Every structure is written in C-alpha cells, then in structure tokens.
mmCIF file of all heavy atoms in Angstrom:
data_model
loop_
_atom_site.group_PDB
_atom_site.id
_atom_site.type_symbol
_atom_site.label_atom_id
_atom_site.label_comp_id
_atom_site.label_asym_id
_atom_site.label_seq_id
_atom_site.Cartn_x
_atom_site.Cartn_y
_atom_site.Cartn_z
ATOM 1 N N SER A 419 160.662 108.588 100.169
ATOM 2 C CA SER A 419 160.019 109.527 101.104
ATOM 3 C C SER A 419 159.463 110.736 100.370
ATOM 4 O O SER A 419 159.547 111.875 100.858
ATOM 5 C CB SER A 419 161.020 109.979 102.178
ATOM 6 O OG SER A 419 161.455 108.886 102.947
ATOM 7 N N THR A 420 158.886 110.490 99.231
ATOM 8 C CA THR A 420 158.459 111.579 98.354
ATOM 9 C C THR A 420 157.032 111.376 97.860
ATOM 10 O O THR A 420 156.651 110.256 97.519
ATOM 11 C CB THR A 420 159.414 111.716 97.156
ATOM 12 O OG1 THR A 420 160.738 111.989 97.630
ATOM 13 C CG2 THR A 420 158.985 112.846 96.225
ATOM 14 N N VAL A 421 156.303 112.471 97.828
ATOM 15 C CA VAL A 421 154.967 112.491 97.240
ATOM 16 C C VAL A 421 155.000 113.408 96.029
ATOM 17 O O VAL A 421 155.724 114.415 96.012
ATOM 18 C CB VAL A 421 153.904 112.944 98.268
ATOM 19 C CG1 VAL A 421 154.161 114.363 98.743
ATOM 20 C CG2 VAL A 421 152.500 112.806 97.694
ATOM 21 N N TYR A 422 154.231 113.044 95.015
ATOM 22 C CA TYR A 422 154.234 113.788 93.760
ATOM 23 C C TYR A 422 152.827 114.293 93.433
ATOM 24 O O TYR A 422 151.830 113.696 93.855
ATOM 25 C CB TYR A 422 154.711 112.900 92.617
ATOM 26 C CG TYR A 422 156.055 112.264 92.838
ATOM 27 C CD1 TYR A 422 156.165 110.979 93.360
ATOM 28 C CD2 TYR A 422 157.225 112.951 92.525
ATOM 29 C CE1 TYR A 422 157.394 110.387 93.579
ATOM 30 C CE2 TYR A 422 158.467 112.366 92.737
ATOM 31 C CZ TYR A 422 158.544 111.091 93.254
ATOM 32 O OH TYR A 422 159.771 110.522 93.469
ATOM 33 N N LEU A 423 152.786 115.355 92.667
ATOM 34 C CA LEU A 423 151.516 115.819 92.121
ATOM 35 C C LEU A 423 151.742 116.096 90.640
ATOM 36 O O LEU A 423 152.442 117.052 90.288
ATOM 37 C CB LEU A 423 151.007 117.078 92.823
ATOM 38 C CG LEU A 423 149.644 117.557 92.336
ATOM 39 C CD1 LEU A 423 148.553 116.554 92.736
ATOM 40 C CD2 LEU A 423 149.316 118.938 92.897
ATOM 41 N N GLU A 424 151.182 115.238 89.816
ATOM 42 C CA GLU A 424 151.255 115.420 88.373
ATOM 43 C C GLU A 424 150.037 116.235 87.959
ATOM 44 O O GLU A 424 148.896 115.825 88.170
ATOM 45 C CB GLU A 424 151.243 114.048 87.686
ATOM 46 C CG GLU A 424 151.440 114.103 86.185
ATOM 47 C CD GLU A 424 152.896 114.256 85.785
ATOM 48 O OE1 GLU A 424 153.753 113.694 86.481
ATOM 49 O OE2 GLU A 424 153.152 114.929 84.778
ATOM 50 N N MET A 425 150.283 117.390 87.366
ATOM 51 C CA MET A 425 149.200 118.285 86.970
ATOM 52 C C MET A 425 149.166 118.368 85.453
ATOM 53 O O MET A 425 150.119 118.835 84.834
ATOM 54 C CB MET A 425 149.406 119.674 87.576
ATOM 55 C CG MET A 425 149.519 119.664 89.095
ATOM 56 S SD MET A 425 149.646 121.317 89.797
ATOM 57 C CE MET A 425 151.308 121.746 89.282
ATOM 58 N N ASN A 426 148.088 117.922 84.874
ATOM 59 C CA ASN A 426 147.925 117.956 83.419
ATOM 60 C C ASN A 426 146.736 118.829 83.045
ATOM 61 O O ASN A 426 145.807 119.011 83.828
ATOM 62 C CB ASN A 426 147.719 116.543 82.884
ATOM 63 C CG ASN A 426 148.936 115.673 83.098
ATOM 64 O OD1 ASN A 426 150.061 116.069 82.803
ATOM 65 N ND2 ASN A 426 148.711 114.477 83.629
ATOM 66 N N ASN A 427 146.802 119.383 81.850
ATOM 67 C CA ASN A 427 145.692 120.178 81.328
ATOM 68 C C ASN A 427 145.244 121.231 82.333
ATOM 69 O O ASN A 427 144.083 121.294 82.732
ATOM 70 C CB ASN A 427 144.521 119.265 80.978
ATOM 71 C CG ASN A 427 143.437 119.996 80.209
ATOM 72 O OD1 ASN A 427 143.672 121.061 79.636
ATOM 73 N ND2 ASN A 427 142.241 119.445 80.219
ATOM 74 N N ARG A 428 146.181 122.076 82.700
ATOM 75 C CA ARG A 428 145.909 123.099 83.702
ATOM 76 C C ARG A 428 145.142 124.270 83.093
ATOM 77 O O ARG A 428 145.611 125.401 83.093
ATOM 78 C CB ARG A 428 147.210 123.586 84.324
ATOM 79 C CG ARG A 428 147.885 122.572 85.245
ATOM 80 C CD ARG A 428 149.189 123.140 85.757
ATOM 81 N NE ARG A 428 149.032 124.529 86.150
ATOM 82 C CZ ARG A 428 148.737 124.950 87.368
ATOM 83 N NH1 ARG A 428 148.573 124.073 88.334
ATOM 84 N NH2 ARG A 428 148.628 126.239 87.645
ATOM 85 N N GLU A 429 143.975 123.994 82.561
ATOM 86 C CA GLU A 429 143.201 125.048 81.916
ATOM 87 C C GLU A 429 142.602 126.012 82.931
ATOM 88 O O GLU A 429 142.529 127.208 82.695
ATOM 89 C CB GLU A 429 142.089 124.424 81.062
ATOM 90 C CG GLU A 429 142.581 123.723 79.804
ATOM 91 C CD GLU A 429 143.069 124.694 78.743
ATOM 92 O OE1 GLU A 429 142.947 125.917 78.923
ATOM 93 O OE2 GLU A 429 143.599 124.205 77.728
ATOM 94 N N ARG A 430 142.131 125.475 84.045
ATOM 95 C CA ARG A 430 141.352 126.273 84.983
ATOM 96 C C ARG A 430 142.168 126.846 86.128
ATOM 97 O O ARG A 430 141.720 127.730 86.839
ATOM 98 C CB ARG A 430 140.228 125.417 85.566
ATOM 99 C CG ARG A 430 139.130 125.091 84.571
ATOM 100 C CD ARG A 430 138.194 124.046 85.132
ATOM 101 N NE ARG A 430 138.441 122.745 84.550
ATOM 102 C CZ ARG A 430 137.825 121.641 84.931
ATOM 103 N NH1 ARG A 430 136.987 121.653 85.917
ATOM 104 N NH2 ARG A 430 138.097 120.501 84.331
ATOM 105 N N GLU A 431 143.389 126.337 86.285
ATOM 106 C CA GLU A 431 144.157 126.749 87.462
ATOM 107 C C GLU A 431 144.814 128.104 87.231
ATOM 108 O O GLU A 431 145.203 128.457 86.121
ATOM 109 C CB GLU A 431 145.220 125.705 87.780
ATOM 110 C CG GLU A 431 144.684 124.486 88.509
ATOM 111 C CD GLU A 431 143.778 123.638 87.639
ATOM 112 O OE1 GLU A 431 144.062 123.497 86.435
ATOM 113 O OE2 GLU A 431 142.780 123.119 88.176
ATOM 114 N N VAL A 432 144.927 128.857 88.307
ATOM 115 C CA VAL A 432 145.575 130.166 88.269
ATOM 116 C C VAL A 432 146.918 130.062 88.981
ATOM 117 O O VAL A 432 147.266 129.024 89.544
ATOM 118 C CB VAL A 432 144.691 131.225 88.941
ATOM 119 C CG1 VAL A 432 143.363 131.356 88.208
ATOM 120 C CG2 VAL A 432 144.460 130.889 90.412
ATOM 121 N N THR A 433 147.651 131.130 88.940
ATOM 122 C CA THR A 433 148.914 131.193 89.672
ATOM 123 C C THR A 433 148.650 130.967 91.153
ATOM 124 O O THR A 433 147.752 131.586 91.736
ATOM 125 C CB THR A 433 149.574 132.560 89.451
ATOM 126 O OG1 THR A 433 149.957 132.662 88.068
ATOM 127 C CG2 THR A 433 150.789 132.728 90.333
ATOM 128 N N ALA A 434 149.414 130.075 91.739
ATOM 129 C CA ALA A 434 149.185 129.745 93.145
ATOM 130 C C ALA A 434 150.418 129.092 93.735
ATOM 131 O O ALA A 434 151.258 128.560 93.012
ATOM 132 C CB ALA A 434 147.991 128.798 93.283
ATOM 133 N N GLY A 435 150.498 129.161 95.047
ATOM 134 C CA GLY A 435 151.491 128.394 95.766
ATOM 135 C C GLY A 435 150.932 127.013 96.049
ATOM 136 O O GLY A 435 149.730 126.882 96.339
ATOM 137 N N TYR A 436 151.774 126.010 95.941
ATOM 138 C CA TYR A 436 151.359 124.643 96.243
ATOM 139 C C TYR A 436 152.148 124.156 97.452
ATOM 140 O O TYR A 436 153.381 124.274 97.487
ATOM 141 C CB TYR A 436 151.585 123.734 95.033
ATOM 142 C CG TYR A 436 150.506 123.906 93.993
ATOM 143 C CD1 TYR A 436 150.522 125.005 93.139
ATOM 144 C CD2 TYR A 436 149.461 123.002 93.881
ATOM 145 C CE1 TYR A 436 149.516 125.188 92.198
ATOM 146 C CE2 TYR A 436 148.455 123.170 92.948
ATOM 147 C CZ TYR A 436 148.485 124.271 92.118
ATOM 148 O OH TYR A 436 147.488 124.460 91.187
ATOM 149 N N TYR A 437 151.408 123.604 98.391
ATOM 150 C CA TYR A 437 151.984 123.238 99.675
ATOM 151 C C TYR A 437 151.775 121.762 99.963
ATOM 152 O O TYR A 437 150.683 121.219 99.759
ATOM 153 C CB TYR A 437 151.349 124.058 100.800
ATOM 154 C CG TYR A 437 151.576 125.536 100.630
ATOM 155 C CD1 TYR A 437 150.733 126.306 99.842
ATOM 156 C CD2 TYR A 437 152.660 126.163 101.242
ATOM 157 C CE1 TYR A 437 150.958 127.653 99.658
ATOM 158 C CE2 TYR A 437 152.892 127.512 101.072
ATOM 159 C CZ TYR A 437 152.037 128.258 100.273
ATOM 160 O OH TYR A 437 152.264 129.596 100.095
ATOM 161 N N CYS A 438 152.803 121.146 100.456
ATOM 162 C CA CYS A 438 152.774 119.740 100.824
ATOM 163 C C CYS A 438 152.410 119.622 102.313
ATOM 164 O O CYS A 438 152.845 120.446 103.123
ATOM 165 C CB CYS A 438 154.160 119.156 100.560
ATOM 166 S SG CYS A 438 154.364 117.436 100.972
ATOM 167 N N ASN A 439 151.639 118.612 102.627
ATOM 168 C CA ASN A 439 151.203 118.389 104.003
ATOM 169 C C ASN A 439 151.383 116.919 104.370
ATOM 170 O O ASN A 439 151.081 116.040 103.561
ATOM 171 C CB ASN A 439 149.732 118.789 104.127
ATOM 172 C CG ASN A 439 149.131 118.408 105.461
ATOM 173 O OD1 ASN A 439 148.623 117.298 105.616
ATOM 174 N ND2 ASN A 439 149.202 119.308 106.407
ATOM 175 N N ALA A 440 151.889 116.679 105.577
ATOM 176 C CA ALA A 440 152.020 115.324 106.103
ATOM 177 C C ALA A 440 151.240 115.242 107.405
ATOM 178 O O ALA A 440 151.390 116.101 108.269
ATOM 179 C CB ALA A 440 153.483 114.985 106.350
ATOM 180 N N LYS A 441 150.415 114.200 107.519
ATOM 181 C CA LYS A 441 149.566 114.098 108.697
ATOM 182 C C LYS A 441 149.622 112.705 109.290
ATOM 183 O O LYS A 441 149.454 111.697 108.581
ATOM 184 C CB LYS A 441 148.119 114.441 108.326
ATOM 185 C CG LYS A 441 147.166 114.433 109.488
ATOM 186 C CD LYS A 441 145.801 114.956 109.078
ATOM 187 C CE LYS A 441 145.119 114.040 108.087
ATOM 188 N NZ LYS A 441 143.768 114.525 107.717
ATOM 189 N N PHE A 442 149.859 112.659 110.591
ATOM 190 C CA PHE A 442 149.762 111.426 111.371
ATOM 191 C C PHE A 442 149.312 111.877 112.750
ATOM 192 O O PHE A 442 150.097 112.414 113.522
ATOM 193 C CB PHE A 442 151.105 110.694 111.425
ATOM 194 C CG PHE A 442 151.069 109.431 112.226
ATOM 195 C CD1 PHE A 442 150.369 108.331 111.778
ATOM 196 C CD2 PHE A 442 151.746 109.330 113.441
ATOM 197 C CE1 PHE A 442 150.319 107.156 112.511
ATOM 198 C CE2 PHE A 442 151.705 108.160 114.186
ATOM 199 C CZ PHE A 442 150.999 107.078 113.719
ATOM 200 N N ARG A 443 148.039 111.681 113.010
ATOM 201 C CA ARG A 443 147.417 112.295 114.177
ATOM 202 C C ARG A 443 148.196 112.032 115.461
ATOM 203 O O ARG A 443 148.592 110.895 115.716
ATOM 204 C CB ARG A 443 145.981 111.779 114.315
ATOM 205 C CG ARG A 443 145.064 112.279 113.252
ATOM 206 C CD ARG A 443 143.644 111.815 113.468
ATOM 207 N NE ARG A 443 142.740 112.352 112.434
ATOM 208 C CZ ARG A 443 141.463 112.095 112.376
ATOM 209 N NH1 ARG A 443 140.914 111.308 113.295
ATOM 210 N NH2 ARG A 443 140.729 112.615 111.419
ATOM 211 N N PRO A 444 148.375 113.069 116.274
ATOM 212 C CA PRO A 444 147.855 114.426 116.120
ATOM 213 C C PRO A 444 148.793 115.376 115.390
ATOM 214 O O PRO A 444 148.546 116.570 115.312
ATOM 215 C CB PRO A 444 147.712 114.891 117.563
ATOM 216 C CG PRO A 444 148.875 114.254 118.249
ATOM 217 C CD PRO A 444 149.069 112.908 117.576
ATOM 218 N N ASP A 445 149.858 114.853 114.814
ATOM 219 C CA ASP A 445 150.867 115.702 114.203
ATOM 220 C C ASP A 445 150.494 116.064 112.768
ATOM 221 O O ASP A 445 149.945 115.255 112.025
ATOM 222 C CB ASP A 445 152.216 115.000 114.203
ATOM 223 C CG ASP A 445 152.686 114.658 115.603
ATOM 224 O OD1 ASP A 445 152.459 115.467 116.518
ATOM 225 O OD2 ASP A 445 153.269 113.569 115.778
ATOM 226 N N LYS A 446 150.853 117.272 112.410
ATOM 227 C CA LYS A 446 150.641 117.747 111.047
ATOM 228 C C LYS A 446 151.791 118.678 110.694
ATOM 229 O O LYS A 446 152.169 119.537 111.493
ATOM 230 C CB LYS A 446 149.315 118.497 110.930
ATOM 231 C CG LYS A 446 148.977 118.932 109.509
ATOM 232 C CD LYS A 446 147.660 119.700 109.477
ATOM 233 C CE LYS A 446 146.472 118.798 109.709
ATOM 234 N NZ LYS A 446 145.183 119.509 109.478
ATOM 235 N N TYR A 447 152.343 118.501 109.487
ATOM 236 C CA TYR A 447 153.483 119.294 109.059
ATOM 237 C C TYR A 447 153.216 119.893 107.685
ATOM 238 O O TYR A 447 152.522 119.292 106.858
ATOM 239 C CB TYR A 447 154.747 118.431 108.993
ATOM 240 C CG TYR A 447 155.090 117.754 110.299
ATOM 241 C CD1 TYR A 447 154.694 116.445 110.555
ATOM 242 C CD2 TYR A 447 155.787 118.434 111.294
ATOM 243 C CE1 TYR A 447 154.991 115.824 111.751
ATOM 244 C CE2 TYR A 447 156.092 117.819 112.496
ATOM 245 C CZ TYR A 447 155.687 116.519 112.716
ATOM 246 O OH TYR A 447 155.977 115.913 113.906
ATOM 247 N N TRP A 448 153.807 121.067 107.471
ATOM 248 C CA TRP A 448 153.655 121.778 106.190
ATOM 249 C C TRP A 448 155.025 122.091 105.603
ATOM 250 O O TRP A 448 155.972 122.398 106.331
ATOM 251 C CB TRP A 448 152.906 123.092 106.390
ATOM 252 C CG TRP A 448 151.476 122.932 106.752
ATOM 253 C CD1 TRP A 448 150.946 122.937 108.005
ATOM 254 C CD2 TRP A 448 150.389 122.741 105.852
ATOM 255 N NE1 TRP A 448 149.587 122.756 107.941
ATOM 256 C CE2 TRP A 448 149.220 122.639 106.631
ATOM 257 C CE3 TRP A 448 150.280 122.650 104.470
ATOM 258 C CZ2 TRP A 448 147.955 122.450 106.068
ATOM 259 C CZ3 TRP A 448 149.028 122.470 103.903
ATOM 260 C CH2 TRP A 448 147.886 122.364 104.698
#
C-alpha cells in the first residue's frame, strides 16, 4: 500500500514540501 518517488540528480529542485495524493473519483486524499 505504498507509493514511492525516487529523486535523482536534484540539480534544479529547491527546498520544498512533498505531498502524497490518492484519487478515486470523487474522493481525493492528501
């Protein structure tokens, strides 16, 4: 029940919050 985000070569990215989202219409969760 897990989703991943592998981030490589983060040259352009700045400090930020990363948020997970689950969607199954009409429901959406954060």
